[in-house]
Amino acid sequence: MKKRSLDALERPDIETFKSQKKEEVVIILDNVRSLHNVGSIFRTADAFSIAALYLCGITGKPPHKEIHKTALGATESVYWQYFEKISDAINYIKSKGYTVYIIEQTDASMNLIDFMPQENTKMAFVFGNEVHGVSDEALEQADYALEIPQLGTKHSFNVAVCTGIILWDYFIKTKSRH
């Protein structure tokens, strides 16, 4: 066994990638404070070819060297937009026909194991602050809440890890249909 070279992976260049059809999935970051987390989420968004990444509130935005350090160029390939208020981002995405899922532990959260994305449904996943989770504004506007099952003593995953888990789950469940 040997590692494949970058050329052997045959990844598209940035301009080709930007013009390719994207998954009808949007990520919304609600006051994510760590620039490294933001950069990591950009990179994950690129990997899963999502439609857009919306940055809200105190969430850092490119260009920034700390975001760039973990994004490794994904700030150039992933469409992103900044909204001062999370409510504006959610209102905007709902006007485009997206269903909004917050990733949060609530009294009405659906276990991710039981979640099955509906075919031909546009989905927006909202991820919150590393300490406080999603804001009350996002909670009030969400259509649904999803919760990742956990077995340990900590009550949450790192937000970048959580984003990867949610997108992988979405990818596996939607791609297995084809």
Side-chain angles (χ1 to χ4, degrees):
M1 173 183 338
K2 67 178 185 170
K3 287 197 239 180
R4 292 167 58 194
S5 69
L6 293 179
D7 288 338
L9 294 175
E10 299 180 2
R11 300 286 193 237
D13 61 46
I14 289 176
E15 291 309 312
T16 302
F17 178 81
K18 284 180 171 181
S19 68
Q20 291 174 343
K21 184 177 180 336
K22 303 288 184 274
E23 294 294 317
E24 290 190 321
V25 172
V26 167
I27 294 172
I28 303 174
L29 301 183
D30 181 12
N31 291 310
V32 172
R33 63 181 166 84
S34 166
L35 299 174
H36 292 143
N37 282 335
V38 174
S40 180
I41 292 167
F42 262 99
R43 195 165 161 191
T44 301
D46 175 280
F48 287 105
S49 191
I50 67 155
L53 176 56
Y54 297 125
L55 312 171
C56 303
I58 67 166
T59 304
K61 53 189 183 294
H64 195 287
K65 69 178 184 173
E66 296 302 313
I67 294 173
H68 180 73
K69 185 186 292 185
T70 50
L72 296 178
T75 57
E76 303 301 318
S77 60
V78 173
Y79 174 80
W80 66 272
Q81 186 174 348
Y82 175 76
F83 290 86
E84 188 173 322
K85 295 186 222 169
I86 185 71
S87 57
D88 291 342
I90 292 175
N91 286 335
Y92 173 76
I93 205 64
K94 281 188 169 190
S95 76
K96 302 290 184 190
Y98 281 75
T99 302
V100 176
Y101 292 82
I102 58 170
I103 313 307
E104 187 61 78
Q105 299 163 347
T106 74
D107 60 356
S109 294
M110 177 188 306
N111 187 312
L112 187 61
I113 293 169
D114 300 322
F115 172 63
M116 185 52 69
Q118 299 299 309
E119 289 191 64
N120 304 315
T121 299
K122 298 177 181 181
M123 304 178 115
F125 296 114
V126 181
F127 299 89
N129 178 274
E130 292 89 340
V131 175
H132 305 291
V134 298
S135 63
D136 290 341
E137 294 87 355
L139 184 69
E140 291 168 10
Q141 289 184 281
D143 297 306
Y144 302 100
L146 294 174
E147 183 175 338
I148 301 169
Q150 299 171 56
L151 304 174
T153 62
K154 300 302 175 192
H155 68 278
S156 66
F157 287 99
N158 168 279
V159 66
V161 171
C162 182
T163 303
I165 291 169
I166 294 293
L167 290 179
W168 176 250
D169 181 79
Y170 171 85
F171 181 82
I172 284 297
K173 289 175 178 174
T174 59
K175 300 307 175 205
S176 68
R177 294 180 188 147
H178 306 289

